[in-house]
Amino acid sequence: SRPNGAVIIKNGVETDATNSTIGNDRTGGDGANDIKTPTRIIKKVVPVEDTKDDPPPTVKKVVVAEVKPKDAVKKDVSLGVINGKASNLPKPAFPAAAKAVGANGAVSVQVSIDENGNVTSAKAVSGHPLLRAASENAARNAKFTQTFLSGQPVKVTGVIVYNFIK
C-alpha cells in the first residue's frame, strides 16, 4: 500500500518520508520508453496510480542514467560565415546579364559540407537574383578543411558570402 505522505525515489527505490522502502515493483523498466539525448538517457515519466477508493495523489518518477560518449548522437555543426575555412574557394563568374543591368553586391550561399570537407549542397539565400546561380555553382566547387568534434570529423553547415563589384 502507498503511504499518505510524500514519496521519494532514490536510486530506483521508492521510499516514504520516514525512509522506509515502499517496494520496487513499480521502479523497473524495459527500456522501450527511454528517451535518448547526447549525454544521458531519461526514462519516460510514468504516472503511478493506486486503485483504492481514496487513492493518494499521482506520483511521477524519472530515472536518469549516463550514456557513454560513443552513444551520443552526432549532429551537424553550424559555423556561420565560413569563407575563412575554405582551402579552395573559387570565384564565381560575373554573369553578362547581371553586368548589363548593373547588378552588384553580396550574395550569401548556405552550404552543407560533409566530413571530408566537400560541399554537398549549396543554395543562395540572399543577393541579386541574376548573381545567385553563379554563386551557387562556385560554392559547389569549394573545398573546406575538416571540422572535428570530440576528435571525430563532423558535417557542418555555413554561409559563403560572394561580393560582386562592378
Side-chain angles (χ1 to χ4, degrees), residues 27 34 40-41 69 71 80-81 84 145 151:
T27 62
D34 292 356
R40 62 180 179 249
I41 298 173
D71 296 333
V81 177
T145 57

Side-chain angles (χ1 to χ4, degrees), residues 47-132:
V48 180
E49 297 183 19
D50 201 339
T51 57
K52 292 185 178 180
D53 293 338
D54 189 18
T58 300
V59 177
K60 294 182 179 182
K61 63 180 177 177
V62 176
V63 180
V64 178
E66 290 298 319
V67 176
K68 297 175 186 173
K70 68 179 182 179
D71 296 333
V73 179
K74 282 188 179 180
K75 287 193 160 200
D76 288 356
V77 177
S78 181
L79 299 178
V81 177
I82 56 173
N83 290 47
K85 285 191 60 77
S87 58
N88 179 30
L89 186 60
K91 292 183 180 182
F94 205 127
K99 278 186 182 180
V101 298
N104 63 16
V107 177
S108 296
V109 181
Q110 179 75 40
V111 294
S112 296
I113 302 165
D114 67 14
E115 296 89 347
N116 297 317
N118 300 311
V119 175
T120 58
S121 71
K123 176 70 177 160
V125 293
S126 70
H128 195 284
L130 292 176
L131 302 172
R132 289 182 176 205

Side-chain angles (χ1 to χ4, degrees), residues 2 12 14 22-29 61:
R2 287 238 177 253
E14 295 179 21
I22 294 170
N24 62 4
D25 60 330
R26 295 182 179 142
T27 62
K61 63 180 177 177

